């Protein structure tokens, strides 16, 4: 649209304009997890696209030692397949690095399997769109679409079983410093000493988050709530062990207490419960 009016623009300006328009019509988007994830990851991909193209040009053009007259006919297709997988891997790595602070802030854990899962999901999601359109023509394609969706869920479940690290909720200042280092690292015309400082920040901040989680002091939470099935007050006691990333929980009298305890554990990087003691007679607590 800007080009049709002979106006010069770039992708980052367009992204900033879209974000500004969305915030004007709905300012609460600024504290929305979906808004933050979407625009920060897209901005990271746009900012690093020039660097990724330089690396790809070096690997596929300058780094190619095979003379053109000795290349086989299949070289072109192999080069295209390599470039597709290299682009998917690079995009997944950039998206993972850009989403680490927000993932820790909102979910309390990160998974290192997201890179290879994203690479495998790209063709699956593409075929899902294809068969979703074909199913509008003939209902027989719905079975194939269902199998593809189940494959996506299976891959996500497989990735979530292992390689998950539970960390405490990072401080807002550390999140802001992480993104400042990330975006300054890839800005053009930045001096090398500033780039080295930003690169060290990107490495040391996750180490700082890990250390503040593992070496934190043990904490105890005592909550009181009205017992739903008897007179009196029900007590809930939680003891955290940050070194092992686990906790001991005694009594969950109601859903509100369970959600508060869950938030308490998530902010401290606790991913599992070693011991759960339910109050006598509360079979629903034991089942939950």
């Amino acid at each position: 649209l800007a080009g049709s009016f002979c106006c010069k623009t770039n992708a980052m300006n367009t992204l900033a304009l879209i974000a500004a328009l969305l915030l004007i019509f709905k300012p609460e988007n600024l504290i929305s997890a979906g808004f933050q994830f979407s625009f920060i990851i897209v901005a990271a991909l746009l900012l690093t696209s020039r660097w990724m193209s330089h690396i790809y040009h070096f690997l596929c053009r300058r780094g190619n030692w095979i003379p053109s007259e000795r290349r086989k006919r299949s070289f072109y297709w192999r080069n295209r397949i390599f470039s597709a997988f290299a682009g998917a891997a690079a995009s997944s790595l950039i998206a993972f690095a850009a989403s680490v602070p927000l993932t820790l802030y909102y979910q309390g854990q990160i998974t290192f399997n997201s890179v290879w899962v994203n690479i495998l999901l790209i063709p699956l999601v593409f075929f899902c769109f294809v068969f979703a359109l074909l199913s509008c023509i003939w209902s027989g394609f719905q079975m194939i679409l269902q199998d593809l969706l189940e494959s996506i869920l299976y891959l996500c479940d497989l990735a979530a079983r292992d390689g998950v690290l539970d960390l405490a909720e990072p401080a807002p200042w550390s999140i802001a410093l992480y993104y400042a280092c990330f975006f300054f690292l890839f800005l053009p015309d930045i001096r090398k000493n500033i780039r080295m400082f930003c690169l060290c920040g990107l490495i040391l901040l996750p180490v700082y988050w890990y250390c503040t989680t593992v070496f934190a002091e043990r904490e105890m939470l005592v909550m009181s709530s009205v017992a739903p099935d008897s007179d009196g007050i029900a007590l809930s006691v939680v003891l955290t062990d940050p070194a092992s990333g686990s906790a001991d929980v005694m009594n969950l009298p109601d859903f509100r207490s369970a959600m508060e305890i869950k938030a308490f554990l998530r902010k401290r990087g606790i991913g599992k419960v070693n011991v759960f003691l339910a109050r006598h007679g509360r079979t629903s607590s034991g089942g939950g």
Side-chain angles (χ1 to χ4, degrees), residues 1-7 9 17:
L1 181 61
S4 60
F5 290 97
C6 299
C7 297
T9 183
L17 176 62

Side-chain angles (χ1 to χ4, degrees), residues 204-254:
L204 293 178
L205 281 172
V207 175
Y208 167 74
W209 296 334
Y210 178 79
C211 293
T212 54
T213 302
V214 175
F215 299 109
E217 297 292 334
R218 293 194 177 193
E219 291 186 72
M220 177 180 289
L221 172 67
V222 179
M223 295 177 53
S224 63
S225 58
V226 180
D229 56 350
S230 62
D231 297 333
I233 300 298
L235 291 178
S236 300
V237 181
V238 180
L239 179 62
T240 64
D241 184 12
S244 62
S246 61
D248 300 331
V249 180
M250 183 185 72
N251 194 18
L252 292 176
D254 51 26

Side-chain angles (χ1 to χ4, degrees), residues 49-288:
S49 60
R50 186 173 65 91
W51 293 86
M52 293 299 104
S53 63
H54 289 336
I55 295 175
Y56 169 75
H57 180 76
F58 173 79
L59 293 177
C60 296
R61 304 290 176 82
R62 295 183 181 179
N64 184 19
W65 295 344
I66 303 176
S68 58
E69 62 273 7
R70 294 183 177 271
R71 296 175 186 173
K72 297 181 180 180
R73 294 182 178 180
S74 60
F75 177 82
Y76 172 78
W77 295 107
R78 284 184 296 177
N79 191 33
R80 292 297 298 270
I81 294 174
F82 170 77
S83 63
F85 276 96
S91 301
S92 298
L93 285 173
I94 294 299
F96 172 77
S99 63
V100 164
L102 291 179
T103 304
L104 288 179
Y105 184 79
Y106 288 107
Q107 300 179 8
Q109 57 182 211
I110 55 175
T111 174
F112 300 98
N113 297 326
S114 60
V115 176
W116 66 265
V117 170
N118 287 334
I119 296 175
L120 294 179
L121 288 182
I122 290 174
L124 289 177
V125 172
F126 171 75
F127 285 116
C128 283
F129 280 109
V130 173
F131 284 102
L133 294 175
L134 293 177
S135 61
C136 298
I137 303 174
W138 183 49
S139 60
F141 290 107
Q142 293 180 358
M143 296 298 298
I144 303 177
L145 178 62
Q146 183 67 28
D147 293 337
L148 289 173
L149 293 176
E150 291 179 357
S151 300
I152 292 176
L153 293 177
Y154 174 75
L155 283 175
C156 294
D157 181 67
L158 184 65
R161 293 177 185 176
D162 300 314
V164 178
L165 182 64
D166 296 288
L167 295 179
E169 178 182 320
W173 68 265
S174 62
I175 296 178
L177 182 59
Y178 181 91
Y179 282 118
C181 294
F182 185 89
F183 287 105
F184 271 102
L185 178 64
F186 296 100
L187 285 178
D189 302 327
I190 298 295
R191 297 194 310 184
K192 291 184 178 180
N193 54 354
I194 299 180
R195 292 191 192 277
M196 291 300 300
F197 174 80
C198 295
L199 182 60
C200 293
L202 290 180
I203 298 174
L204 293 178
L205 281 172
V207 175
Y208 167 74
W209 296 334
Y210 178 79
C211 293
T212 54
T213 302
V214 175
F215 299 109
E217 297 292 334
R218 293 194 177 193
E219 291 186 72
M220 177 180 289
L221 172 67
V222 179
M223 295 177 53
S224 63
S225 58
V226 180
D229 56 350
S230 62
D231 297 333
I233 300 298
L235 291 178
S236 300
V237 181
V238 180
L239 179 62
T240 64
D241 184 12
S244 62
S246 61
D248 300 331
V249 180
M250 183 185 72
N251 194 18
L252 292 176
D254 51 26
F255 181 77
R256 183 187 64 83
S257 301
M259 291 299 100
E260 291 187 12
I261 290 176
K262 177 183 176 182
F264 174 80
L265 296 178
R266 182 186 66 81
K267 290 183 177 181
R268 284 150 184 83
I270 305 299
K272 60 182 178 180
V273 175
N274 281 337
V275 179
F276 173 70
L277 300 176
R279 188 163 56 88
H280 179 69
R282 287 285 292 163
T283 55
S284 61
S285 297

